[in-house]
Amino acid sequence: MLARKYKAEVVSIENPLDGIYTVELKSLGRKFKYNPGQFLHLSLDSGYDGVGQWPESRCFSMQSNPEEMNIKITFSVRGRYTGSMQKELREGSLVWLKLPYGDLFSQSHSKENTVFIAGGTGITPFLSLFKHSSFKEYVSPSIYLGFRSKPHNIYNGDLCQLQNSICQIEEYYEDIDGLIDIERIFMENRTDSSYFISGPPSMIRTFKQRLIDYGISYENILTDEWE
Protein backbone atom coordinates (compact mmCIF):
# COMPACT_ATOMS: atom_id res chain seq x y z
CA MET A 1 0.00 0.00 0.00
CA LEU A 2 1.59 3.27 -1.13
CA ALA A 3 1.89 6.15 1.33
CA ARG A 4 -0.42 9.06 0.50
CA LYS A 5 -0.70 12.60 1.80
CA TYR A 6 -3.87 13.76 3.56
CA LYS A 7 -4.86 17.20 4.76
CA ALA A 8 -6.66 16.62 8.03
CA GLU A 9 -8.52 18.46 10.76
CA VAL A 10 -8.37 17.88 14.50
CA VAL A 11 -11.83 16.70 15.53
CA SER A 12 -11.05 16.38 19.22
CA ILE A 13 -8.09 16.46 21.57
CA GLU A 14 -8.09 14.98 25.05
CA ASN A 15 -5.56 15.49 27.83
CA PRO A 16 -6.24 12.61 30.27
CA LEU A 17 -2.89 13.00 32.07
CA ASP A 18 -0.24 15.66 32.32
CA GLY A 19 1.81 15.59 29.12
CA ILE A 20 -0.29 12.91 27.38
CA TYR A 21 -2.74 13.73 24.59
CA THR A 22 -5.11 11.70 22.42
CA VAL A 23 -5.95 13.36 19.10
CA GLU A 24 -8.73 12.40 16.68
CA LEU A 25 -8.26 13.47 13.05
CA LYS A 26 -10.58 13.49 10.07
CA SER A 27 -9.51 13.58 6.44
CA LEU A 28 -10.51 16.65 4.44
CA GLY A 29 -10.30 14.63 1.24
CA ARG A 30 -10.19 10.94 0.43
CA LYS A 31 -10.79 8.26 3.06
CA PHE A 32 -7.80 7.09 5.06
CA LYS A 33 -6.40 3.74 3.93
CA TYR A 34 -4.13 1.66 6.14
CA ASN A 35 -3.79 -1.71 7.88
CA PRO A 36 -3.87 -2.48 11.62
CA GLY A 37 -0.56 -1.76 13.33
CA GLN A 38 0.72 0.79 10.82
CA PHE A 39 1.96 4.30 11.59
CA LEU A 40 1.84 7.76 10.06
CA HIS A 41 3.87 10.94 9.75
CA LEU A 42 2.19 14.08 11.13
CA SER A 43 3.25 17.58 10.11
CA LEU A 44 2.09 20.76 11.81
CA ASP A 45 2.77 22.73 8.62
CA SER A 46 -0.84 23.54 7.68
CA GLY A 47 0.43 25.78 4.87
CA TYR A 48 2.02 22.88 3.00
CA ASP A 49 0.68 22.62 -0.57
CA GLY A 50 0.56 18.82 -0.68
CA VAL A 51 2.94 18.71 -3.65
CA GLY A 52 6.40 19.95 -2.69
CA GLN A 53 9.00 18.43 -0.41
CA TRP A 54 7.40 16.85 2.65
CA PRO A 55 7.82 19.21 5.64
CA GLU A 56 9.16 18.39 9.09
CA SER A 57 7.06 15.73 10.75
CA ARG A 58 6.89 13.14 13.51
CA CYS A 59 5.87 9.45 13.44
CA PHE A 60 2.92 8.10 15.46
CA SER A 61 1.23 4.73 15.64
CA MET A 62 -2.45 4.71 14.72
CA GLN A 63 -4.60 3.31 17.53
CA SER A 64 -7.82 3.51 15.53
CA ASN A 65 -8.62 0.67 13.17
CA PRO A 66 -9.04 0.93 9.38
CA GLU A 67 -12.78 0.32 9.64
CA GLU A 68 -13.21 3.66 11.44
CA MET A 69 -13.68 6.91 9.55
CA ASN A 70 -11.24 8.96 11.62
CA ILE A 71 -7.74 8.29 12.92
CA LYS A 72 -6.70 8.46 16.57
CA ILE A 73 -3.16 8.84 17.90
CA THR A 74 -1.80 9.29 21.41
CA PHE A 75 1.41 11.16 22.11
CA SER A 76 3.54 12.02 25.12
CA VAL A 77 5.28 15.39 25.26
CA ARG A 78 8.95 14.42 24.97
CA GLY A 79 10.98 16.93 23.04
CA ARG A 80 10.68 19.93 20.77
CA TYR A 81 8.21 18.60 18.20
CA THR A 82 5.72 17.07 20.59
CA GLY A 83 6.09 20.23 22.69
CA SER A 84 5.00 22.23 19.64
CA MET A 85 2.07 19.85 19.16
CA GLN A 86 1.02 20.45 22.76
CA LYS A 87 1.03 24.22 22.20
CA GLU A 88 -0.47 24.36 18.70
CA LEU A 89 -3.03 21.59 18.36
CA ARG A 90 -6.61 22.53 19.14
CA GLU A 91 -10.01 21.37 17.91
CA GLY A 92 -10.24 22.63 14.33
CA SER A 93 -6.46 22.77 13.78
CA LEU A 94 -5.28 21.72 10.33
CA VAL A 95 -2.37 19.32 9.85
CA TRP A 96 -0.90 17.12 7.14
CA LEU A 97 -0.62 13.35 7.44
CA LYS A 98 1.35 10.90 5.34
CA LEU A 99 0.44 7.23 5.61
CA PRO A 100 0.59 4.30 5.85
CA TYR A 101 3.97 2.98 6.94
CA GLY A 102 5.04 -0.25 8.63
CA ASP A 103 4.28 -3.94 8.35
CA LEU A 104 3.89 -5.03 11.98
CA PHE A 105 1.00 -7.47 11.50
CA SER A 106 1.52 -8.24 7.82
CA GLN A 107 4.75 -10.07 8.64
CA SER A 108 4.54 -13.84 8.71
CA HIS A 109 3.40 -15.02 12.16
CA SER A 110 1.23 -17.57 13.93
CA LYS A 111 -2.30 -16.53 14.91
CA GLU A 112 -2.63 -19.28 17.50
CA ASN A 113 -1.62 -18.52 21.09
CA THR A 114 -0.12 -15.23 19.93
CA VAL A 115 1.51 -13.14 22.68
CA PHE A 116 1.20 -9.34 22.75
CA ILE A 117 3.44 -7.36 25.14
CA ALA A 118 3.13 -3.57 25.42
CA GLY A 119 4.51 -0.89 27.70
CA GLY A 120 2.74 2.45 28.11
CA THR A 121 1.66 4.08 24.85
CA GLY A 122 3.19 1.08 23.07
CA ILE A 123 -0.29 -0.40 23.27
CA THR A 124 -1.56 1.91 20.50
CA PRO A 125 -0.59 -0.19 17.45
CA PHE A 126 -2.05 -3.23 19.20
CA LEU A 127 -5.39 -1.46 19.73
CA SER A 128 -5.56 -0.91 15.99
CA LEU A 129 -5.65 -4.70 15.61
CA PHE A 130 -7.66 -5.56 18.73
CA LYS A 131 -10.58 -3.38 17.55
CA HIS A 132 -10.45 -4.63 13.95
CA SER A 133 -12.59 -7.45 12.59
CA SER A 134 -9.43 -9.39 11.59
CA PHE A 135 -8.62 -9.95 15.28
CA LYS A 136 -11.25 -12.71 15.25
CA GLU A 137 -8.72 -14.79 13.32
CA TYR A 138 -6.48 -15.02 16.41
CA VAL A 139 -7.00 -18.11 18.55
CA SER A 140 -6.41 -17.83 22.32
CA PRO A 141 -4.19 -14.71 22.27
CA SER A 142 -2.48 -13.52 25.46
CA ILE A 143 -2.05 -9.81 26.16
CA TYR A 144 0.38 -8.35 28.71
CA LEU A 145 0.28 -4.61 29.39
CA GLY A 146 2.48 -2.43 31.57
CA PHE A 147 1.63 1.05 32.84
CA ARG A 148 3.27 3.42 35.32
CA SER A 149 0.07 3.49 37.41
CA LYS A 150 -3.65 2.79 37.05
CA PRO A 151 -4.40 6.40 35.98
CA HIS A 152 -1.91 5.89 33.12
CA ASN A 153 -4.13 3.15 31.71
CA ILE A 154 -6.19 5.56 29.61
CA TYR A 155 -7.18 2.72 27.27
CA ASN A 156 -9.39 0.91 29.77
CA GLY A 157 -12.55 1.53 27.76
CA ASP A 158 -11.12 -0.25 24.73
CA LEU A 159 -9.71 -3.05 26.87
CA CYS A 160 -13.04 -3.67 28.62
CA GLN A 161 -14.49 -4.67 25.26
CA LEU A 162 -11.78 -7.33 24.97
CA GLN A 163 -12.42 -8.70 28.45
CA ASN A 164 -15.59 -10.35 27.14
CA SER A 165 -13.73 -12.15 24.36
CA ILE A 166 -11.41 -15.14 24.48
CA CYS A 167 -8.38 -12.97 25.24
CA GLN A 168 -6.26 -13.39 28.32
CA ILE A 169 -5.29 -9.91 29.53
CA GLU A 170 -2.80 -9.30 32.33
CA GLU A 171 -1.96 -5.77 33.46
CA TYR A 172 1.13 -4.65 35.36
CA TYR A 173 1.17 -1.34 37.24
CA GLU A 174 4.72 -0.30 37.99
CA ASP A 175 3.88 1.47 41.26
CA ILE A 176 2.09 -1.66 42.55
CA ASP A 177 3.38 -4.72 40.67
CA GLY A 178 6.73 -3.57 39.37
CA LEU A 179 7.78 -3.95 35.74
CA ILE A 180 6.37 -6.48 33.28
CA ASP A 181 7.79 -9.89 34.18
CA ILE A 182 9.13 -11.22 30.87
CA GLU A 183 10.31 -14.48 32.47
CA ARG A 184 6.81 -15.18 33.76
CA ILE A 185 5.36 -14.41 30.34
CA PHE A 186 7.74 -16.90 28.77
CA MET A 187 6.81 -19.56 31.33
CA GLU A 188 3.07 -19.04 30.69
CA ASN A 189 3.29 -19.37 26.92
CA ARG A 190 4.56 -21.65 24.18
CA THR A 191 7.99 -21.55 22.63
CA ASP A 192 6.52 -21.75 19.12
CA SER A 193 4.16 -18.77 19.63
CA SER A 194 4.66 -15.44 17.92
CA TYR A 195 5.62 -12.68 20.36
CA PHE A 196 4.80 -9.04 19.52
CA ILE A 197 6.56 -6.35 21.59
CA SER A 198 5.81 -2.62 21.57
CA GLY A 199 6.95 0.11 23.94
CA PRO A 200 10.03 2.13 24.87
CA PRO A 201 13.12 1.15 22.80
CA SER A 202 15.01 -0.04 25.89
CA MET A 203 12.13 -2.34 26.86
CA ILE A 204 11.93 -3.78 23.34
CA ARG A 205 15.68 -4.47 23.22
CA THR A 206 15.75 -6.08 26.68
CA PHE A 207 12.65 -8.25 26.20
CA LYS A 208 13.72 -9.35 22.73
CA GLN A 209 17.11 -10.49 23.98
CA ARG A 210 15.61 -12.23 27.00
CA LEU A 211 13.19 -14.20 24.81
CA ILE A 212 16.03 -15.20 22.50
CA ASP A 213 18.02 -16.33 25.56
CA TYR A 214 15.00 -18.41 26.65
CA GLY A 215 15.00 -20.19 23.30
CA ILE A 216 12.38 -18.27 21.31
CA SER A 217 13.46 -18.10 17.68
CA TYR A 218 14.35 -14.71 16.23
CA GLU A 219 11.62 -15.10 13.58
CA ASN A 220 8.94 -15.46 16.26
CA ILE A 221 9.75 -12.10 17.90
CA LEU A 222 8.13 -9.17 16.09
CA THR A 223 8.65 -5.62 17.31
CA ASP A 224 7.27 -2.14 16.75
CA GLU A 225 10.46 -0.07 16.70
CA TRP A 226 10.29 2.40 13.82
CA GLU A 227 11.60 5.38 15.78
Side-chain angles (χ1 to χ4, degrees):
M1 193 181 299
L2 293 176
R4 294 176 177 268
K5 301 170 185 176
Y6 300 82
K7 193 167 188 178
E9 178 183 343
V10 176
V11 174
S12 66
I13 182 164
E14 300 175 3
N15 181 203
L17 290 168
D18 185 37
I20 297 179
Y21 295 83
T22 296
V23 184
E24 182 177 355
L25 302 142
K26 72 174 182 181
S27 174
L28 296 181
R30 57 180 172 261
K31 185 180 184 298
F32 295 123
K33 291 187 177 181
Y34 59 99
N35 294 321
Q38 293 193 292
F39 64 93
L40 56 74
H41 287 258
L42 181 149
S43 176
L44 293 172
D45 188 355
S46 59
Y48 175 62
D49 62 7
V51 178
Q53 182 176 353
W54 180 247
E56 183 181 11
S57 62
R58 173 75 156 75
C59 296
F60 298 97
S61 293
M62 292 175 275
Q63 70 189 66
S64 48
N65 79 75
E67 295 164 344
E68 299 177 56
M69 184 62 67
N70 296 336
I71 282 177
K72 277 188 178 182
I73 63 170
T74 294
F75 71 91
S76 300
V77 180
R78 295 178 180 173
R80 181 185 61 82
Y81 204 84
T82 49
S84 296
M85 291 173 63
Q86 180 186 40
K87 294 176 183 177
E88 298 180 26
L89 291 183
R90 297 291 184 274
E91 186 176 321
S93 295
L94 300 181
V95 298
W96 277 93
L97 307 178
K98 193 174 182 182
L99 63 112
Y101 293 94
D103 61 353
L104 184 60
F105 299 121
S106 63
Q107 301 174 75
S108 176
H109 65 280
S110 171
K111 294 184 178 180
E112 293 186 14
N113 305 108
T114 313
V115 181
F116 298 89
I117 308 167
T121 56
I123 189 180
T124 52
F126 291 174
L127 288 177
S128 181
L129 173 66
F130 295 163
K131 298 187 293 179
H132 191 255
S133 57
S134 63
F135 191 53
K136 296 176 183 177
E137 300 171 7
Y138 288 79
V139 180
S140 301
S142 296
I143 302 170
Y144 299 87
L145 307 172
F147 301 98
R148 286 170 56 188
S149 66
K150 287 192 174 182
H152 282 83
N153 182 3
I154 60 175
Y155 315 98
N156 202 47
D158 293 315
L159 294 173
C160 283
Q161 298 176 24
L162 290 175
Q163 296 283 5
N164 297 324
S165 70
I166 57 172
C167 301
Q168 172 187 319
I169 302 177
E170 187 167 331
E171 297 169 354
Y172 291 81
Y173 295 102
E174 187 175 345
D175 60 341
I176 300 173
D177 311 304
L179 299 175
I180 297 175
D181 189 342
I182 189 62
E183 182 175 4
R184 179 180 172 186
I185 292 174
F186 166 73
M187 296 295 292
E188 291 178 349
N189 293 280
R190 294 167 37 169
T191 56
D192 60 348
S193 294
S194 292
Y195 289 74
F196 285 92
I197 310 174
S198 179
S202 59
M203 186 198 92
I204 292 175
R205 288 193 299 269
T206 300
F207 284 12
K208 184 175 183 178
Q209 187 57 56
R210 291 282 294 280
L211 289 174
I212 290 172
D213 292 342
Y214 293 146
I216 305 298
S217 69
Y218 183 86
E219 292 76 17
N220 283 345
I221 305 172
L222 304 100
T223 61
D224 185 53
E225 47 185 334
W226 36 260
E227 292 189 300

